[in-house]
Amino acid sequence: MSSGDGTTVLWRPTGPEELALVRDSGWRRWPPRLPDQPIFYPVLNEDYAVMIARDWNVPASGVGYVTRFRVASEFVSRYPVQQVGGKTILELWVPAEELDEFNEHIVGLIEVVHEFH
């Protein structure tokens, strides 16, 4: 999970509304969660993120994006890896009230690496 530079690469499948808010932040922050979203779920592998963006976000909103970003490994290690399906279906569960602090530990920019229609 950790890379050699002290960061951990994470992916996030997202729809157009969330991506617009990320863009508005200068590609540096994830937006606050909505009241019915108590957890922020970045995922640990690109294939899982692609599956969600393609199979869930596209039917829901017509487009799905996969983003990639890095977080300081020392900070992100506080969140245990959650296996929510098969062997590669891995997520971190960041409580909504900790998202501002999580955002402060993003290293570099959030980037779009895939787009599906």
Side-chain angles (χ1 to χ4, degrees):
M1 194 164 90
S2 294
S3 62
D5 65 357
T7 65
T8 297
V9 176
L10 298 172
W11 287 266
R12 171 114 175 120
T14 186
E17 288 139 13
E18 184 176 55
L19 189 66
L21 296 171
V22 171
R23 184 182 312 109
D24 290 348
S25 79
W27 302 99
R28 297 192 178 276
R29 302 182 69 76
W30 292 101
R33 308 311 299 148
L34 298 174
D36 63 335
Q37 299 172 326
I39 304 287
F40 174 72
Y41 302 93
V43 303
L44 277 61
N45 67 70
E46 188 173 8
D47 289 341
Y48 178 37
V50 164
M51 181 188 71
I52 295 169
R54 185 190 58 225
D55 299 348
W56 298 357
N57 293 109
V58 171
S61 61
V63 63
Y65 302 95
V66 174
T67 61
R68 179 177 57 208
F69 60 104
R70 295 178 179 274
V71 179
S73 295
E74 186 175 330
F75 173 80
V76 83
S77 68
R78 71 169 61 181
Y79 301 105
V81 173
Q82 306 292 327
Q83 185 174 355
V84 296
K87 184 177 177 183
T88 62
I89 309 298
L90 305 173
E91 304 174 337
L92 298 180
W93 294 354
V94 179
E97 61 271 12
E98 296 178 22
L99 187 54
D100 282 340
E101 185 179 12
F102 181 91
N103 281 330
E104 294 300 320
H105 289 87
I106 292 175
V107 177
L109 300 177
I110 299 165
E111 59 183 328
V112 175
V113 294
H114 297 286
E115 180 176 333
F116 301 97
H117 294 271

